[in-house]
Amino acid sequence: MLDILLFREDKGGNPELVRESQRRRYAPVEAVDGIISLDKAWREKQHQLDNLRRDFGALTTEIGKKKKAKENADDLVAQVPAIKQQIAQVELECEQKKVELDKALVSIGNIVHDTVPVSDNEENNGLIVDWGEKRMNEKNDLFHHHELLWKIDGFEPLKGSDVAGSRCYFLKGPGVQLNLALINYGLSFLMGRKYTPLQTPYFMNKDVMAKTAQLSQFDEELYKVTAGTEEKYLIATSEQPISAFHQNEWLDPKVLPLRYAGYSTCFRKEAGAYGKDAWGIFRVHQFEKVEQFLITAPENSWEALEEMVKTSEEFYRSLNLPYRVVSIVSKELNNAAAKKYDLEGWFPTLQRYRELVSCSNCTDYQSRHLEIRYGVKKAGDREKKYVHMLNGTLCATTRTICAILENYQTPEGIKIPAVLQPFMGGIDFIPFTRPLEKRAFSGAPTGAPATASTSQPEAAKSD
């Protein structure tokens, strides 16, 4: 969440900066004035409470003096119950106003960086990098990724749906090998760049999740699990538990930057995404991901964002997968992100790019809510300082498998990228072993080679 001081013009804040950021996000500007009003009401009530406590302190001091002097203090003692009751009432009112203020404050997104393209149309994402030789489909004889995964006997989508519901699947044989190879290669790749691996919990306490996930995610993305009175949420990305790894800590500037290579299974409801991209394992409810997570000094986070996206680029270059990097338009930024890059891989059957990676600088938006401080506050400092936190995909394995299948397909099978071969026991080629079947997949045509003109649901964005 943002620093409340930004909204207090009388304290040196700049509410117009927040209003401009809201305009760039195409979000309600009037919400800023609402927060200013709530903050004023809370501060007035807090001032009233402070005065009552001061008066009560003075009263008890006077009672003590009289009793020490063996003087009658009955008239003062008689005032105590009424003042205690008044304090309790004002404390309750003050707490209620603080809850209202905090609820409104977390609805305001991070300050949009000046370099973010201002638009409400993703067609206006800024092109940063376009790398690699894109494979064409002139003869319309290439297969889609879900057909290829079937032909190598790499997954069972209908059996997965029967067992667990739509968008669920069993990986099988070569599919499992590719998945584990990408996990192990991804972790090795980041460890070689001084990242510390973290395998995270798969669920989080509700109160902690609320500090790192925005409210819309609870309805649209997160699965809730309960046990008795306990309420927890399955993680949608290892970013969520890693962001809370240092909650309520003071981090010495000497230990920064911290680089974590997060590994976890991820769970997403994908509410509202049905019909947009239902083929294969590209957009599913459960998948593995290797994540980059950086914690930096406030002045170093923008340089760290560029470093993070370069790391993702190097990973996909090592796999020799054509890609482009785009800067995401302001309206499509999630609340925590001040700026976000997407790396999109080339899919030759569709002749278009699809999202594989997202890298975001969340500045101090998450760390402020989680109370992860930068250094120690010194006398005379106007405000507390918080570390900056950044997150970025290295490899969402199911999506990367889809890109490898499409770009490395041959008439006989799938070539394996050279860097993955050591992680697959030296396997350099996976042959096709079964034909396409009429009802091999749910919701996708099968039985013939796909063409570039084959109708394909549009991919939706996700972090």
Side-chain angles (χ1 to χ4, degrees):
M1 61 181 178
L2 294 179
D3 188 348
I4 189 61
L5 291 177
L6 269 175
F7 297 81
R8 297 174 180 171
E9 199 165 9
D10 59 325
K11 300 291 184 180
N14 187 359
E16 186 53 37
L17 177 68
V18 188
R19 293 189 187 97
E20 177 56 27
S21 181
Q22 287 289 93
R23 293 186 194 102
R24 293 178 181 184
R25 288 180 176 272
Y26 295 81
V29 176
E30 60 272 14
V32 177
D33 295 313
I35 288 172
I36 292 171
S37 177
L38 288 170
D39 181 48
K40 181 180 179 182
W42 171 70
R43 285 197 286 165
E44 288 174 350
K45 187 61 66 175
Q46 184 65 51
H47 181 67
Q48 180 186 358
L49 180 60
D50 291 342
N51 286 340
L52 283 170
R53 286 170 172 167
R54 184 194 62 210
D55 293 345
F56 182 72
L59 178 64
T60 55
T61 298
E62 186 62 24
I63 291 172
K65 287 181 179 179
K66 283 185 175 289
K67 286 185 175 182
K68 187 176 182 179
K70 301 188 182 302
E71 297 176 7
N72 188 297
D74 291 350
D75 56 333
L76 298 179
V77 172
Q79 298 176 37
V80 169
I83 295 180
K84 279 186 173 181
Q85 184 177 2
Q86 190 176 7
I87 287 174
Q89 178 61 35
V90 175
E91 279 178 338
L92 179 61
E93 293 171 0
C94 192
E95 183 179 335
Q96 290 171 340
K97 290 189 179 297
K98 186 64 165 66
V99 169
E100 285 183 63
L101 173 61
D102 287 345
K103 184 177 179 181
L105 190 58
V106 297
S107 73
I108 303 294
N110 204 347
I111 301 299
V112 176
H113 196 260
D114 287 339
T115 59
V116 172
V118 178
S119 176
D120 61 351
N121 186 341
E122 286 185 282
E123 294 296 319
N124 296 322
N125 287 342
L127 179 62
I128 307 300
V129 174
D130 191 344
W131 183 87
E133 185 176 343
K134 297 191 288 287
R135 184 173 184 175
M136 296 295 109
N137 193 15
E138 297 92 344
K139 296 181 180 180
N140 291 329
D141 60 351
L142 298 180
F143 287 88
H144 283 292
H145 55 82
H146 63 288
E147 296 173 310
L148 296 163
L149 193 54
W150 176 267
K151 283 163 69 69
I152 64 171
D153 199 15
F155 84 140
E156 294 289 348
L158 291 186
K159 291 181 185 295
S161 294
D162 289 344
V163 170
S166 63
R167 294 180 185 269
C168 296
Y169 57 95
F170 284 90
L171 282 181
K172 179 184 177 185
V176 176
Q177 289 177 290
L178 282 168
N179 195 55
L180 293 175
L182 283 168
I183 292 167
N184 288 313
Y185 174 53
L187 290 172
S188 175
F189 185 90
L190 290 181
M191 289 170 66
R193 287 158 177 77
K194 299 182 180 179
Y195 282 69
T196 300
L198 279 182
Q199 185 169 359
T200 70
Y202 286 175
F203 50 78
M204 294 171 64
N205 293 328
K206 181 181 179 181
D207 61 329
V208 181
M209 180 67 86
K211 294 177 181 179
T212 189
Q214 62 191 70
L215 292 176
S216 62
Q217 288 180 282
F218 281 85
D219 295 326
E220 298 171 7
E221 187 172 275
L222 301 176
Y223 285 102
K224 181 168 72 172
V225 292
T226 57
T229 58
E230 283 190 307
E231 188 173 312
K232 299 180 186 294
Y233 285 84
L234 294 178
I235 63 171
T237 167
S238 63
E239 169 209 338
Q240 292 162 342
I242 295 175
S243 69
F245 188 61
H246 292 285
Q247 64 178 327
N248 301 316
E249 292 184 15
W250 299 77
L251 295 182
D252 190 327
K254 294 177 183 177
V255 307
L256 301 178
L258 294 173
R259 296 180 176 90
Y260 293 118
Y263 162 61
S264 73
T265 299
C266 306
F267 306 88
R268 299 188 183 184
K269 289 195 297 189
E270 303 288 11
Y274 294 90
K276 291 182 179 179
D277 188 13
W279 290 6
I281 60 170
F282 186 84
R283 190 176 182 87
V284 287
H285 293 308
Q286 175 185 322
F287 58 96
E288 278 70 52
K289 183 152 70 87
V290 177
E291 180 87 359
Q292 301 178 72
F293 197 94
L294 301 185
I295 301 177
T296 76
E299 63 271 18
N300 295 333
S301 66
W302 293 107
E303 181 181 349
L305 177 63
E306 301 302 321
E307 171 195 314
M308 178 179 281
V309 75
K310 291 295 183 189
T311 299
S312 291
E313 284 190 66
E314 289 170 9
F315 182 78
Y316 286 93
R317 289 191 187 198
S318 74
L319 292 169
N320 199 27
L321 291 173
Y323 68 85
R324 71 180 183 185
V325 175
V326 295
S327 179
I328 299 301
V329 294
S330 54
K331 182 158 191 312
E332 296 303 317
L333 296 175
N334 61 301
N335 275 6
K339 183 175 183 177
K340 182 169 78 166
Y341 290 119
D342 277 2
L343 184 150
E344 301 173 339
W346 177 253
F347 281 71
T349 57
L350 303 173
Q351 296 290 286
R352 74 167 186 258
Y353 292 96
R354 306 177 76 184
E355 178 199 337
L356 300 179
V357 167
S358 285
C359 294
S360 300
N361 187 357
C362 298
T363 63
D364 59 1
Y365 193 89
Q366 293 171 317
S367 58
R368 184 179 306 281
H369 211 170
L370 291 159
E371 282 296 322
I372 306 174
R373 310 280 187 82
Y374 174 71
V376 179
K377 186 179 179 183
K378 299 175 182 177
D381 286 352
R382 191 176 72 90
E383 59 191 53
K384 294 181 287 187
K385 287 186 178 180
Y386 294 86
V387 296
H388 280 199
M389 301 169 77
L390 305 92
N391 63 83
T393 316
L394 183 79
C395 178
T397 57
T398 50
R399 292 194 175 194
T400 305
I401 288 171
C402 293
I404 289 171
L405 292 171
E406 291 221 0
N407 286 278
Y408 279 83
Q409 64 178 289
T410 73
E412 294 77 31
I414 307 297
K415 294 179 180 178
I416 302 301
V419 292
L420 285 187
Q421 293 172 19
F423 298 91
M424 293 191 64
I427 295 172
D428 60 4
F429 186 79
I430 302 173
F432 295 138
T433 58
R434 63 177 174 178
L436 292 174
E437 297 177 7
K438 188 175 182 180
R439 295 185 60 79
F441 316 102
S442 175
T446 60
T451 68
S453 60
T454 299
S455 175
Q456 167 78 349
E458 184 66 31
K461 295 287 182 183
S462 71
D463 291 340

